[in-house]
Amino acid sequence: MTLWQGRFAADADGMADEVARLTVSIGFDKELASDDIAASLAHVRGLGKAGILTDEEVAALLDAVERVGMELASGSFVFSLSDEDVHTAVERRATELAGELGAKLHTGRSRNDQVATDLRLWCRRSLLQVAADVVALQDVLLRRAREAGDAYLPGYTHLQRAQPVLLAHHLLAHGWALARDVDRLIATVERLDVSPLGAGALAGSSLPLDPDFVAEELGFSARFENSLDAVSDRDFVAEALFDLALLGVHLSRMGEEIVLWSSEEWGFCALDDAYATGSSMLPQKKNPDVAELARGKSGRLIGHLTGMLATLKALPLAYNRDLQEDKEPLFDAVAQVRAILPALAGLYGTVEWDHDRMQAAADGPASAAVDLAEMLVGDGMPFRRAHALVAGLVRDSLARHVPLSELVQAHPDLGDAAARLLEPGVAVTRRTTPGAAGPAAVAAQVERFVRRLDVDRSRITLHGAETVQPGSAGASPDR
Ligand code: ARG
């Protein structure tokens, strides 16, 4: 039995099978079960406070809804073929348990405000879990950055070797991008923290309901301002999907780098066996599938965002069934990101860097070219002239196959001190400005990153999520 059968002819055959197949959402919206229970409990208390239910009725209905919740949680709940969605399923079962009284549960409520409430509760919890997973990955990057010490590698622009940078600096670059993701997730949670319950189907109620009361019961900071907006607003879903898509893009870039670095051509790292995969045909292969999936899934996450925006763009106020399309992309985006994050944390936590290969690549003869120019600037030469002078030496060295250091040594404006800048490992130590890639600047950066992680950890906990303890994520390399 649907919840709305009364409107239709008593002798009708009921919904056509193909309509049921098209409209049914229980297959995925049962993900909202615990939130639907929470929202239903708050609603029952609200009906009691409004004097619509007696104290005894409130107690009996709360008991029935709680029992439904326990059945759902333990897996003993039996879904019926006619359970169109999770809201129907919960009400149907509560009515089976509470008898007559069950018929009062939906008083003053619509599935429109109910589903909006459930989804906000789900989002709040899930986005905080994602944020905690991100912090766990940042923790791994921090550990690896500390372990990397003064190891350095080429920094690239245009994928051409540009200037040497500390490996720690490179790892923390990803860490700071993830910090913005955490910030965005928390901001989205703060903005979605508004209860739609009490908006009814679209216009509120003639019954003396108190939306502020149920908002507080559910731990929301505020109630809706406008009932039409309350039931049709899915900005929070679009925002969540954007946060997850951009996070996915960051994870994709991290994955891409591992794909490159673990190739024989680069040889900057070797994957731990537990975080690599083999080939069914080629016996010698060890493949970076984790990194590739981190890269590949970003396409799907971007698709979920654009799909959601397209669904929303022409909807007239207020609720439209199109909105049912919000759940699958959202649930999938969270599930995919939560699958990638720990796997990538494990990969980054265990990957073995080849410092020698990295350093050999970074110690290319021209990697300190700008340091030569800056030395000349220190002696008073305008930078544009210094740049041209050094570029000329680099060109000469390549054309005549003479080591750059020899030309530098022999040049009247440069000489021995300048040639020493070209020695392995020297250039990176000269990146000394705040936020720069050299050892002293990176040591200061590490301290700031540690503080940022602490702040973000407490922000996540403040909003009610369990966070990871520092250092608890990602297997250690000597595992
Ligand atoms: N399954 C629906 C959804 O996800 C629940 C709300 C249905 N409301 C309605 N008036 N048909 O949006």
Side-chain angles (χ1 to χ4, degrees), residues 241 300-313 325 329:
L241 288 172
R300 175 169 172 177
L301 295 166
I302 293 165
H304 287 331
L305 169 63
T306 56
M308 187 69 227
L309 291 172
T311 297
L312 294 176
K313 82 173 180 58
E325 290 296 307

Side-chain angles (χ1 to χ4, degrees), residues 125 127-142 178 182 186 338 341-343 345-346 449-450 452-462 464-475:
R125 181 176 67 254
L127 296 186
L128 291 172
Q129 283 165 345
V130 172
D133 290 351
V134 175
V135 171
L137 173 58
Q138 290 177 292
D139 235 356
V140 169
L141 291 172
L142 172 65
L178 295 173
V182 171
I186 294 173
R338 295 204 70 201
L341 282 165
F449 192 69
V450 168
R452 175 63 181 261
L453 283 192
D454 285 343
V455 168
D456 283 347
R457 242 183 232 106
S458 38
R459 286 167 82 201
I460 295 168
T461 323
L462 187 75
E466 284 175 28
T467 46
V468 278
Q469 288 312 303
S472 66

Side-chain angles (χ1 to χ4, degrees), residues 165-407:
V165 296
L166 284 197
L167 174 58
H169 192 60
H170 190 111
L171 294 172
L172 288 184
H174 293 306
W176 289 107
L178 295 173
R180 293 191 293 277
D181 291 314
V182 171
D183 197 53
R184 257 186 297 274
L185 288 163
I186 294 173
T188 299
V189 165
E190 286 170 352
R191 227 183 335 270
L192 69 73
D193 191 11
V194 176
S195 171
L197 195 57
L202 75 164
S205 181
S206 68
L207 300 167
L209 299 175
D210 182 356
D212 285 305
F213 172 78
V214 285
E216 206 180 316
E217 284 286 300
L218 289 168
F220 283 113
S221 304
R223 62 148 169 90
F224 62 93
E225 296 287 350
N226 177 306
S227 61
L228 290 172
D229 183 42
V231 291
S232 59
D233 171 20
R234 294 295 184 277
D235 289 3
F236 66 100
V237 177
E239 281 187 49
L241 288 172
F242 174 75
D243 298 347
L244 296 166
L246 187 50
L247 168 58
V249 166
H250 293 149
L251 302 177
S252 172
R253 296 178 70 177
M254 290 176 69
E256 165 69 356
E257 216 155 64
I258 291 291
V259 171
L260 294 175
W261 287 10
S262 64
S263 72
E264 277 177 75
E265 281 67 15
W266 247 268
F268 282 3
C269 66
L271 299 178
D272 186 276
D273 283 357
Y275 293 93
T277 44
S279 159
S280 59
M281 178 175 166
L282 308 176
Q284 83 282 13
K285 293 298 296 290
K286 188 165 163 184
N287 293 327
D289 290 27
V290 169
E292 289 169 305
L293 281 170
R295 189 177 61 188
K297 283 182 187 293
S298 61
R300 175 169 172 177
L301 295 166
I302 293 165
H304 287 331
L305 169 63
T306 56
M308 187 69 227
L309 291 172
T311 297
L312 294 176
K313 82 173 180 58
L315 291 186
L317 290 174
Y319 178 84
N320 299 272
R321 192 63 176 265
D322 314 45
L323 290 176
Q324 183 167 293
E325 290 296 307
D326 58 2
K327 286 167 215 59
E328 285 163 290
L330 178 64
F331 296 163
D332 184 64
V334 166
Q336 297 309 320
V337 164
R338 295 204 70 201
I340 304 166
L341 282 165
L344 209 55
L347 184 152
Y348 267 84
T350 55
V351 66
E352 212 178 292
W353 309 121
D354 189 332
H355 292 170
D356 294 340
R357 287 275 300 221
M358 288 180 174
Q359 280 164 215
D363 286 333
S367 67
V370 77
D371 295 284
L372 296 175
E374 285 174 1
M375 184 176 163
L376 292 168
V377 165
D379 297 338
M381 187 183 289
F383 178 73
R384 196 45 61 209
R385 262 188 61 206
H387 183 284
L389 189 158
V390 176
L393 293 180
V394 170
R395 215 172 43 240
D396 243 27
S397 135
L398 292 172
R400 294 169 36 214
H401 304 287
V402 183
L404 181 64
S405 55
E406 251 173 56
L407 299 179

